[in-house]
Amino acid sequence: MSTFFIPEKSEFVEANGVHFAYRKFGKETGTPLVCLVHFRGTMENWDPELMGRLAADRPVIIFDNTGIGESSGETPSTVAQMAKDAASFINALGLKQVDILGFSLGGFVAQELVMQHPDLIRRVILAGTAPRSGTGLRSRNDVREASTGNIEDADSAIQQFLFLFYRPTETSRARGIASLKRIFGQKKFNSSLQVLKAQSEAIAEWAKQGSDQSYKWLNNITHPVLVTNGIDDVMVPTENSYILTQHLPNAQLIIYPDSGHGHLFQYPHLFAEHAKLFLDA
Amino acid sequence: MSTFFIPEKSEFVEANGVHFAYRKFGKETGTPLVCLVHFRGTMENWDPELMGRLAADRPVIIFDNTGIGESSGETPSTVAQMAKDAASFINALGLKQVDILGFSLGGFVAQELVMQHPDLIRRVILAGTAPRSGTGLRSRNDVREASTGNIEDADSAIQQFLFLFYRPTETSRARGIASLKRIFGQKKFNSSLQVLKAQSEAIAEWAKQGSDQSYKWLNNITHPVLVTNGIDDVMVPTENSYILTQHLPNAQLIIYPDSGHGHLFQYPHLFAEHAKLFLDA
């Protein structure tokens, strides 16, 4: 496959007073795949190699949620409101039904979105994420420090992401560096300190250990779901993917070897093929 | 894909005084995939639908190990000896390197085989199986009774397999019945009581809780491994697939929804596509 480039210029759509920035690309027909990005990420944090492979078979839409990157407004401090905003954005595009790929915090938003609007969503991919009250979230100081640190400079960002998204093996790091070069080769917009603060609050609330540890609410998501992670995720411990799969009534699980949180960028070809098999089934 | 039929007539090869019955089919070039079948199974226990899909991309070899079905000799009562016999068979065919698919007891044999002969094996698929001293093996009386019961009659066999291999949902059972009809439509040879007795002993020894519960020995299998199971396997509890993936240094895990032990026959298309992605990587 030749190198794929995500369109550099955003389009905009307005909903509830927010101007949402987005980029749409790929095949023109089929159910669009809307991607929900991770903590502090803008739409430019998606690896173009993965996006290109996904877009070979369907329309792909990436966007900046409220107050992030090129979108206006103030980022809300709850996952529930992030999901409401995502639904407003999808509705504003005039789409009746979409597939969603939620990565990390984006996977929290994806779960809320499908619960709030079951008919708007056809199929769900949850990558490197956890259910509400998941296990081991925000438990490591070194991870919290790295993930909330300064990311103005691409080189230091690459070092942080290597630790947070990849395993300390030569093979994982080499693929991680390749992906991070692709990502930072396209990055023009960072998210603000307001995003950091609001999203941190939202994650803390999501991670809070509730009185109900049975994860029963996941039974309400009857959609086909593909749950994925690397074998050793230091940000959102991999065990959360097992929990999701055990409690979602219609979930497939794929765990990738020699990888962590960034498994989908480490194996863009394999992940896209697995996603295709799942989304086209 | 048009309906695929496994060749009805076996070929034979001799090694260490055993006449091994086998059937080889599919594409003529590529690394052959040698399949190791489950407890009490003969080579006719492989679903022809799955075999046909696997064989579209590579040579596939199914065989009766020592003392089973059409092969001569007496079935040994240890997994280690079953693996030695499987290696003799592969060597007798003149094959220098193969991929292996081990299902259930066949997955125990596959683990022993790759430890004994690391150079003979390229890639390994472990379906519905467990490491030595795995968790919850042989713990359910109803499962033990059903799996050791009479299987002379196809109708009662189908009822037993439905319980052992599929989930009690309408969707899982419907696909289970379809697979079992394909399997029993081709079955001419059953395994003997000697097989039942010897394999039961081998499984009991494999399941025995050892003093070392760290599963450290799995670190020695550095081959690429694909571990698969259904979300709710009553024969070999699904948790064993997580354990395998966590301790094998280079393992991918796929768990299928709404399914159990027989996941590979329930989703022959999807399983074969996943196997192809793994074997061709």
Side-chain angles (χ1 to χ4, degrees), chain B residues 142-144 146-148 159-166 233-235 260-262:
Chain B
D142 53 348
V143 167
R144 262 206 317 281
S147 64
T148 54
Q159 288 311 312
Q160 284 166 344
F161 275 112
L162 272 182
F163 166 60
L164 295 169
F165 277 40
Y166 297 92
D233 183 340
V234 297
M235 295 203 77
H261 204 59

mmCIF file of all heavy atoms in Angstrom, chain B residues 142-144 146-148 159-166 233-235 260-262:
data_model
loop_
_atom_site.group_PDB
_atom_site.id
_atom_site.type_symbol
_atom_site.label_atom_id
_atom_site.label_comp_id
_atom_site.label_asym_id
_atom_site.label_seq_id
_atom_site.Cartn_x
_atom_site.Cartn_y
_atom_site.Cartn_z
ATOM 1 N N ASP B 142 -20.801 -32.843 35.480
ATOM 2 C CA ASP B 142 -21.693 -33.005 34.326
ATOM 3 C C ASP B 142 -20.896 -33.028 33.018
ATOM 4 O O ASP B 142 -21.216 -33.771 32.087
ATOM 5 C CB ASP B 142 -22.784 -31.920 34.309
ATOM 6 C CG ASP B 142 -22.215 -30.495 34.393
ATOM 7 O OD1 ASP B 142 -21.001 -30.343 34.692
ATOM 8 O OD2 ASP B 142 -22.986 -29.551 34.163
ATOM 9 N N VAL B 143 -19.831 -32.231 32.982
ATOM 10 C CA VAL B 143 -18.991 -32.191 31.785
ATOM 11 C C VAL B 143 -18.216 -33.495 31.635
ATOM 12 O O VAL B 143 -18.129 -34.067 30.544
ATOM 13 C CB VAL B 143 -18.030 -30.975 31.836
ATOM 14 C CG1 VAL B 143 -16.948 -31.073 30.777
ATOM 15 C CG2 VAL B 143 -18.821 -29.673 31.689
ATOM 16 N N ARG B 144 -17.648 -33.968 32.748
ATOM 17 C CA ARG B 144 -16.893 -35.225 32.685
ATOM 18 C C ARG B 144 -17.780 -36.370 32.228
ATOM 19 O O ARG B 144 -17.387 -37.184 31.397
ATOM 20 C CB ARG B 144 -16.279 -35.563 34.048
ATOM 21 C CG ARG B 144 -14.818 -35.151 34.170
ATOM 22 C CD ARG B 144 -14.046 -35.996 35.181
ATOM 23 N NE ARG B 144 -14.794 -36.226 36.390
ATOM 24 C CZ ARG B 144 -14.918 -35.329 37.376
ATOM 25 N NH1 ARG B 144 -14.361 -34.147 37.271
ATOM 26 N NH2 ARG B 144 -15.612 -35.624 38.452
ATOM 27 N N ALA B 146 -20.614 -36.234 30.453
ATOM 28 C CA ALA B 146 -21.009 -36.103 29.044
ATOM 29 C C ALA B 146 -19.853 -36.447 28.117
ATOM 30 O O ALA B 146 -20.045 -37.088 27.077
ATOM 31 C CB ALA B 146 -21.515 -34.690 28.762
ATOM 32 N N SER B 147 -18.630 -36.052 28.504
ATOM 33 C CA SER B 147 -17.510 -36.236 27.581
ATOM 34 C C SER B 147 -16.985 -37.670 27.573
ATOM 35 O O SER B 147 -16.296 -38.063 26.636
ATOM 36 C CB SER B 147 -16.378 -35.258 27.902
ATOM 37 O OG SER B 147 -15.857 -35.526 29.178
ATOM 38 N N THR B 148 -17.320 -38.432 28.602
ATOM 39 C CA THR B 148 -16.857 -39.830 28.623
ATOM 40 C C THR B 148 -17.997 -40.805 28.288
ATOM 41 O O THR B 148 -17.806 -42.008 28.321
ATOM 42 C CB THR B 148 -16.274 -40.196 30.005
ATOM 43 O OG1 THR B 148 -17.242 -39.889 31.009
ATOM 44 C CG2 THR B 148 -14.997 -39.432 30.275
ATOM 45 N N GLN B 159 -26.272 -34.397 20.819
ATOM 46 C CA GLN B 159 -26.749 -33.779 22.066
ATOM 47 C C GLN B 159 -25.592 -33.539 23.046
ATOM 48 O O GLN B 159 -25.504 -32.482 23.675
ATOM 49 C CB GLN B 159 -27.830 -34.662 22.733
ATOM 50 C CG GLN B 159 -29.167 -34.663 21.998
ATOM 51 C CD GLN B 159 -29.668 -33.260 21.646
ATOM 52 O OE1 GLN B 159 -29.675 -32.366 22.478
ATOM 53 N NE2 GLN B 159 -30.053 -33.053 20.379
ATOM 54 N N GLN B 160 -24.705 -34.529 23.164
ATOM 55 C CA GLN B 160 -23.551 -34.363 24.058
ATOM 56 C C GLN B 160 -22.649 -33.213 23.600
ATOM 57 O O GLN B 160 -22.232 -32.370 24.394
ATOM 58 C CB GLN B 160 -22.724 -35.653 24.133
ATOM 59 C CG GLN B 160 -23.368 -36.732 25.011
ATOM 60 C CD GLN B 160 -22.731 -38.091 24.793
ATOM 61 O OE1 GLN B 160 -22.026 -38.314 23.815
ATOM 62 N NE2 GLN B 160 -23.010 -39.024 25.701
ATOM 63 N N PHE B 161 -22.351 -33.200 22.294
ATOM 64 C CA PHE B 161 -21.471 -32.151 21.772
ATOM 65 C C PHE B 161 -22.114 -30.768 21.901
ATOM 66 O O PHE B 161 -21.421 -29.775 22.133
ATOM 67 C CB PHE B 161 -21.096 -32.427 20.312
ATOM 68 C CG PHE B 161 -19.914 -33.343 20.153
ATOM 69 C CD1 PHE B 161 -20.061 -34.628 19.633
ATOM 70 C CD2 PHE B 161 -18.644 -32.928 20.515
ATOM 71 C CE1 PHE B 161 -18.972 -35.466 19.488
ATOM 72 C CE2 PHE B 161 -17.540 -33.763 20.367
ATOM 73 C CZ PHE B 161 -17.707 -35.046 19.848
ATOM 74 N N LEU B 162 -23.432 -30.690 21.746
ATOM 75 C CA LEU B 162 -24.098 -29.392 21.892
ATOM 76 C C LEU B 162 -23.842 -28.828 23.286
ATOM 77 O O LEU B 162 -23.555 -27.640 23.452
ATOM 78 C CB LEU B 162 -25.601 -29.524 21.661
ATOM 79 C CG LEU B 162 -26.085 -29.386 20.222
ATOM 80 C CD1 LEU B 162 -27.601 -29.500 20.164
ATOM 81 C CD2 LEU B 162 -25.620 -28.072 19.594
ATOM 82 N N PHE B 163 -23.951 -29.680 24.271
ATOM 83 C CA PHE B 163 -23.698 -29.249 25.652
ATOM 84 C C PHE B 163 -22.223 -28.909 25.871
ATOM 85 O O PHE B 163 -21.887 -27.890 26.495
ATOM 86 C CB PHE B 163 -24.165 -30.342 26.622
ATOM 87 C CG PHE B 163 -23.654 -30.171 28.032
ATOM 88 C CD1 PHE B 163 -23.954 -29.026 28.771
ATOM 89 C CD2 PHE B 163 -22.869 -31.152 28.626
ATOM 90 C CE1 PHE B 163 -23.469 -28.863 30.071
ATOM 91 C CE2 PHE B 163 -22.387 -30.991 29.923
ATOM 92 C CZ PHE B 163 -22.683 -29.842 30.643
ATOM 93 N N LEU B 164 -21.338 -29.751 25.327
ATOM 94 C CA LEU B 164 -19.908 -29.601 25.629
ATOM 95 C C LEU B 164 -19.234 -28.492 24.822
ATOM 96 O O LEU B 164 -18.292 -27.868 25.290
ATOM 97 C CB LEU B 164 -19.169 -30.918 25.358
ATOM 98 C CG LEU B 164 -19.554 -32.106 26.242
ATOM 99 C CD1 LEU B 164 -18.959 -33.393 25.685
ATOM 100 C CD2 LEU B 164 -19.100 -31.886 27.685
ATOM 101 N N PHE B 165 -19.696 -28.284 23.589
ATOM 102 C CA PHE B 165 -18.972 -27.415 22.654
ATOM 103 C C PHE B 165 -19.649 -26.064 22.403
ATOM 104 O O PHE B 165 -19.025 -25.168 21.855
ATOM 105 C CB PHE B 165 -18.809 -28.108 21.294
ATOM 106 C CG PHE B 165 -17.642 -29.057 21.197
ATOM 107 C CD1 PHE B 165 -17.310 -29.885 22.251
ATOM 108 C CD2 PHE B 165 -16.863 -29.121 20.043
ATOM 109 C CE1 PHE B 165 -16.240 -30.774 22.157
ATOM 110 C CE2 PHE B 165 -15.792 -29.998 19.936
ATOM 111 C CZ PHE B 165 -15.482 -30.829 20.992
ATOM 112 N N TYR B 166 -20.943 -25.936 22.786
ATOM 113 C CA TYR B 166 -21.677 -24.732 22.397
ATOM 114 C C TYR B 166 -22.345 -24.091 23.598
ATOM 115 O O TYR B 166 -22.443 -24.684 24.664
ATOM 116 C CB TYR B 166 -22.675 -25.074 21.272
ATOM 117 C CG TYR B 166 -21.908 -25.536 20.064
ATOM 118 C CD1 TYR B 166 -21.630 -26.898 19.852
ATOM 119 C CD2 TYR B 166 -21.350 -24.609 19.185
ATOM 120 C CE1 TYR B 166 -20.842 -27.307 18.792
ATOM 121 C CE2 TYR B 166 -20.562 -25.021 18.121
ATOM 122 C CZ TYR B 166 -20.307 -26.362 17.931
ATOM 123 O OH TYR B 166 -19.508 -26.756 16.887
ATOM 124 N N ASP B 233 -16.270 -21.478 27.785
ATOM 125 C CA ASP B 233 -15.928 -22.868 27.479
ATOM 126 C C ASP B 233 -16.131 -23.696 28.745
ATOM 127 O O ASP B 233 -15.435 -23.485 29.742
ATOM 128 C CB ASP B 233 -14.469 -22.914 27.006
ATOM 129 C CG ASP B 233 -14.031 -24.313 26.591
ATOM 130 O OD1 ASP B 233 -14.680 -25.299 26.996
ATOM 131 O OD2 ASP B 233 -13.027 -24.410 25.862
ATOM 132 N N VAL B 234 -17.066 -24.650 28.711
ATOM 133 C CA VAL B 234 -17.326 -25.460 29.912
ATOM 134 C C VAL B 234 -16.339 -26.625 30.038
ATOM 135 O O VAL B 234 -16.195 -27.209 31.116
ATOM 136 C CB VAL B 234 -18.783 -26.017 29.952
ATOM 137 C CG1 VAL B 234 -19.781 -24.871 30.013
ATOM 138 C CG2 VAL B 234 -19.074 -26.954 28.792
ATOM 139 N N MET B 235 -15.653 -26.987 28.948
ATOM 140 C CA MET B 235 -14.710 -28.109 29.001
ATOM 141 C C MET B 235 -13.328 -27.674 29.469
ATOM 142 O O MET B 235 -12.737 -28.285 30.340
ATOM 143 C CB MET B 235 -14.588 -28.758 27.628
ATOM 144 C CG MET B 235 -15.870 -29.409 27.148
ATOM 145 S SD MET B 235 -15.512 -30.675 25.916
ATOM 146 C CE MET B 235 -14.930 -32.020 26.949
ATOM 147 N N GLY B 260 -18.426 -21.368 22.854
ATOM 148 C CA GLY B 260 -17.648 -22.099 23.835
ATOM 149 C C GLY B 260 -16.513 -22.864 23.169
ATOM 150 O O GLY B 260 -15.889 -22.358 22.225
ATOM 151 N N HIS B 261 -16.275 -24.077 23.695
ATOM 152 C CA HIS B 261 -15.185 -24.922 23.206
ATOM 153 C C HIS B 261 -15.171 -25.034 21.674
ATOM 154 O O HIS B 261 -14.112 -24.985 21.061
ATOM 155 C CB HIS B 261 -15.364 -26.301 23.844
ATOM 156 C CG HIS B 261 -14.117 -27.108 23.939
ATOM 157 N ND1 HIS B 261 -13.009 -26.676 24.616
ATOM 158 C CD2 HIS B 261 -13.812 -28.344 23.449
ATOM 159 C CE1 HIS B 261 -12.053 -27.611 24.536
ATOM 160 N NE2 HIS B 261 -12.520 -28.615 23.828
ATOM 161 N N GLY B 262 -16.358 -25.158 21.073
ATOM 162 C CA GLY B 262 -16.443 -25.372 19.623
ATOM 163 C C GLY B 262 -16.404 -24.108 18.786
ATOM 164 O O GLY B 262 -16.861 -24.100 17.641
#
